[in-house]
Amino acid sequence: MKTTTGYSGIQISLHWLVAILIVVAWFTGEGGKAAMKVVEKGGTAGFVPHVAIGLAILALVVTRLLLRLGRGTPAAPGEPGSLAVLASDWGHRLIYLLMLAVPLGGLCTYFLGLDVGDLHELGANVLMVVILGHALMALYHQYVLKDGVLSRMMRPE
Ligand code: HEM
Ligand code: HEM
């Protein structure tokens, strides 16, 4: 993976756009089981927004991964190889894994009729918990360690 001095404007825009869409997807997924019963009978149960937002997330996450591969990302702050840097790198990988697996699970349930709705819901809830930890770490870096990590997800370089 290439190492850069900062995130590009498009990487930053995608980070915040996907963050907002994930929260919206999480709330619109509420009552998904009941909605699926209506969908199975040919209705929509107002579930189209959830599916559309979820599919948009999937497309935007794939775009982000391609950008990471092509352009790279800045190194996590701290000593290379230290526990903090490893935790940051693997934490981000876990978020990417969940950001792909959760919408793919939803897709398999909705379009292919596979019985993975519960897994989809579990994955979405795990993603929310991991993201909460991620946001707290970002705030800890910015306001306690004062190493400007949050600023670099605000200002393109
Ligand atoms: C659904 C919500 C969120 C998701 C899915 C998410 C995901 C990610 C991912 C995957 C990265 C790795 C860098 C990249 O490839 O873009 C990242 C970086 C970052 N995120 Fe988030 N994020 C979310 C919300 C937040 C929030 C609420 C904050 C701030 C409070 C935040 C602050 C940051 C910062 C500062 C970085 C840069 C870290 C670094 O460069 O080491 N994120 N985020
Ligand atoms: C990151 C993106 C997504 C998040 C965070 C998310 C979140 C959720 C949540 C929290 C539920 C729980 C429903 C409940 O309370 O019963 C749910 C249900 C559901 N979602 Fe998603 N979803 C995402 C993407 C998608 C996509 C792309 C699709 C379809 C193409 C989809 C289809 C479904 C279906 C069919 C259910 C009902 C599952 C069941 O039978 O229990 N979701 N989603």
Side-chain angles (χ1 to χ4, degrees), residues 3 6 14 16 22 39 47 58 74 78 84 88 94 97 99 110 117-118 123 125 136-137 147 149 152:
T3 307
L14 284 172
W16 295 113
I22 287 184
V39 170
F47 211 50
L58 186 59
S88 166
L94 175 65
L97 184 74
M99 287 196 296
Y110 192 80
D118 287 346
N125 291 338
L136 289 177
M137 283 314 294
D147 55 10
V149 159
R152 71 182 188 180

Side-chain angles (χ1 to χ4, degrees), residues 21-81:
L21 290 179
I22 287 184
V23 175
V24 177
W26 194 70
F27 281 108
T28 54
E30 196 66 32
K33 260 181 216 39
M36 276 312 280
K37 292 215 167 67
V38 181
V39 170
E40 274 153 24
K41 289 185 187 122
T44 65
F47 211 50
V48 172
H50 179 76
V51 172
I53 292 164
L55 291 178
I57 292 168
L58 186 59
L60 294 173
V61 170
V62 172
T63 310
R64 272 175 80 168
L65 280 169
L66 292 175
L67 277 170
R68 261 175 89 100
L69 280 177
R71 184 182 186 271
T73 50
E79 280 295 307

Side-chain angles (χ1 to χ4, degrees), residues 7 15-16 19 22 64 68 77 92 95-96 99 131 134-135 138-139 149-150 152-153:
Y7 294 99
H15 172 268
W16 295 113
I22 287 184
R64 272 175 80 168
R68 261 175 89 100
H92 291 166
I95 296 178
Y96 272 112
M99 287 196 296
I131 282 164
H134 168 74
L139 295 175
V149 159
L150 187 55
R152 71 182 188 180
M153 212 20 124

